[in-house]
Amino acid sequence: FIPENPWSAEYHDLVSAVRQVANHCKENGQYFCFETGQETPVTLLRMIQDVGTGNLGINLDTANLILYGKGNPVDALDVFGKYVRSTHMKDGLFPTDGYDLGEEMPLGQGKANFPEIIRKLKALNYTGAYCIEREIEGDEQIKDILEGKAYLEGIYNSL
């Protein structure tokens, strides 16, 4: 995770390490992407700005911000939307105690506002994949993914 305090030694060490990796990626024509979740949107934006290599991006995991209690994906897009390079469409509930993550849910059954998320991604001219992620196993996972696909297609096609 990225330390929230931008004046800490740990934060500056991480900026240096990420810059080194990002420059290596840049030499290969690659992006280095962070996945949302364990940091606030502002902390993630600050890291991208401070590293400053021009090839950093974000994988927007729509549930991770919720599951970790760090924000919601709709508001996060106002902060770092221009850096989104990929998505994990996932849904979940906010934590209900101070020790455990929130609960992952099938798409449309948690707190992620998918109509607004997709509307904002379209407004940002996002053209990447909408990858459905469901972190369970077995027949229920397949069922949830197929239902989620239909759910997202309905939203996407209506906007």
Side-chain angles (χ1 to χ4, degrees):
F1 71 96
I2 301 170
E4 298 281 333
N5 181 353
W7 295 281
S8 71
E10 292 84 7
Y11 178 81
H12 286 282
D13 289 346
L14 187 57
V15 167
S16 178
V18 170
R19 186 177 292 126
Q20 185 176 7
V21 173
N23 278 327
H24 178 76
C25 291
K26 191 173 190 175
E27 291 171 8
N28 293 321
Q30 299 170 308
Y31 270 88
F32 179 92
C33 292
F34 299 94
E35 181 162 296
T36 58
Q38 296 180 348
E39 297 83 23
T40 63
V42 170
T43 297
L44 196 50
L45 176 63
R46 181 185 306 120
M47 174 63 67
I48 290 170
Q49 291 171 329
D50 288 348
V51 171
T53 57
N55 66 322
L56 298 178
I58 294 173
N59 175 61
L60 174 65
D61 186 310
T62 55
N64 279 357
L65 286 162
I66 296 168
L67 296 173
Y68 283 93
K70 293 295 186 173
N72 74 66
V74 173
D75 293 338
L77 286 168
D78 290 337
V79 175
F80 59 53
K82 68 181 180 179
Y83 293 103
V84 173
R85 302 287 177 260
S86 59
T87 66
H88 285 166
M89 295 286 127
K90 188 167 75 179
D91 210 347
L93 302 174
F94 285 100
T96 56
D97 67 50
Y99 295 95
D100 297 314
L101 295 177
E103 181 183 354
E104 184 190 354
M105 303 294 290
L107 292 180
Q109 295 181 29
K111 294 293 185 178
N113 182 344
F114 288 102
E116 192 60 27
I117 292 166
I118 293 171
R119 182 178 291 109
K120 283 191 174 192
L121 286 170
K122 282 185 166 191
L124 290 162
N125 297 313
Y126 174 76
T127 59
Y130 290 80
C131 178
I132 297 171
E133 182 177 37
R134 183 71 168 114
E135 296 183 19
I136 60 173
E137 296 180 11
D139 293 339
E140 187 71 20
Q141 180 188 43
I142 294 167
K143 175 185 164 289
D144 287 355
I145 289 171
L146 292 173
E147 288 176 0
K149 178 181 180 286
Y151 172 71
L152 291 177
E153 285 175 337
I155 295 167
Y156 188 88
N157 292 330
S158 71
L159 298 176

